[in-house]
């Protein structure tokens, strides 16, 4: 059995986490599939952010735009001798908890998606890099929906960090090793 190669990169907004994850993927010298979780909608500023990410990535990387079934997208992209970069859990969670169709949030459905993602990460045969925001460093947010989001992202980040062989926290563009392959 091949040992899991799962790197978790997290940090705040504009901390350099995506750029760092992209550098790790590029340095792997493996074919890369980039799984994007963003949903653009009618937000021009957010569309510009996505365009910036696209411009920064090598053109030869394969792009997959994942919906709620991130586990399925990972399973399809995963292969031995291949690198999959998922950017990011923060937006995936937002899509699950705030569906575009305005449908009521189903925590059971959300938890099923998280369990499926965990299973796909455990089963992965290639190198996987997962990006997420760390948003729980501030005050307790006002509003039940925002508290739910912050709490669920914190729980999700803990679950992925526990599975990871390496974890890095980004601050001001600087990587801080939280977990190394030597200390799994």
């Amino acid at each position: 059995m091949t040992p899991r190669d799962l790197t978790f990169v997290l940090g705040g907004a504009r901390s350099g986490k995506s750029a760092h994850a992209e550098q790790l993927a590029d340095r792997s010298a493996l074919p890369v599939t980039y799984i994007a979780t963003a949903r653009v909608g009618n937000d021009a500023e957010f569309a510009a952010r996505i365009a910036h990410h696209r411009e920064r990535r090598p053109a030869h990387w394969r792009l997959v735009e994942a919906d709620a079934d991130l586990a399925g997208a990972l399973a399809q992209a995963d292969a031995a001798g291949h690198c999959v970069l998922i950017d990011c859990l923060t937006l995936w969670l937002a899509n699950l908890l705030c569906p575009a169709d305005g449908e009521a949030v189903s925590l059971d459905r959300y938890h099923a998606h998280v369990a499926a993602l965990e299973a796909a990460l455990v089963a992965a045969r290639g190198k996987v890099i997962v990006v997420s925001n760390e948003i729980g460093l501030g005050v307790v947010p006002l509003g039940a929906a925002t508290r739910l989001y912050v709490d669920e992202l914190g729980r999700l980040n803990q679950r992925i960090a526990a599975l990871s062989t390496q974890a890095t926290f980004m601050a001001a563009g600087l990587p801080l090793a939280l977990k190394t392959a030597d200390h799994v």
Side-chain angles (χ1 to χ4, degrees):
M1 181 172 136
T2 305
R4 183 169 48 246
D5 187 355
L6 175 58
T7 301
F8 190 39
V9 179
L10 70 162
R14 297 292 188 219
S15 63
K17 62 192 174 299
S18 293
H20 181 72
E22 290 163 6
Q23 289 170 359
L24 293 174
D26 195 45
R27 279 190 247 150
S28 76
L30 299 170
V32 176
T33 297
Y34 184 100
I35 300 180
T37 62
R39 181 178 63 208
V40 179
N42 295 326
D43 186 335
E45 184 273 334
F46 195 64
R49 284 177 180 249
I50 292 171
H52 174 72
H53 277 251
R54 282 186 184 137
E55 291 165 8
R56 191 174 60 210
R57 289 193 303 265
H60 63 275
W61 285 8
R62 183 171 164 249
L63 172 66
V64 173
E65 294 180 345
D67 57 10
D69 186 18
L70 181 54
L74 172 58
Q76 289 287 327
D78 176 49
H82 194 85
C83 178
V84 176
L85 193 164
I86 299 171
D87 196 0
C88 72
L89 295 183
T90 316
L91 296 173
W92 178 65
L93 175 64
N95 293 339
L96 289 174
L97 295 182
C98 306
D101 60 9
E103 185 180 316
V105 175
S106 165
L107 287 181
D108 289 339
R109 192 180 113 207
Y110 161 69
H111 290 293
H113 281 295
V114 170
L117 176 60
E118 283 183 295
L121 289 169
V122 168
R125 297 163 295 160
K127 178 177 189 59
V128 180
I129 302 167
V130 179
V131 177
S132 187
N133 281 58
E134 176 53 70
I135 63 173
L137 297 173
V139 299
V140 175
L142 296 176
T146 307
R147 280 191 301 277
L148 172 67
Y149 180 79
V150 170
D151 289 349
E152 289 303 323
L153 184 59
R155 290 181 184 108
L156 177 60
N157 285 348
Q158 288 181 51
R159 291 169 81 163
I160 303 308
L163 292 175
S164 298
T165 51
Q166 299 174 82
T168 302
F169 183 78
M170 297 297 298
L174 300 173
L176 173 64
L178 301 176
K179 185 178 187 181
T180 62
D182 307 349
H183 300 93
V184 180

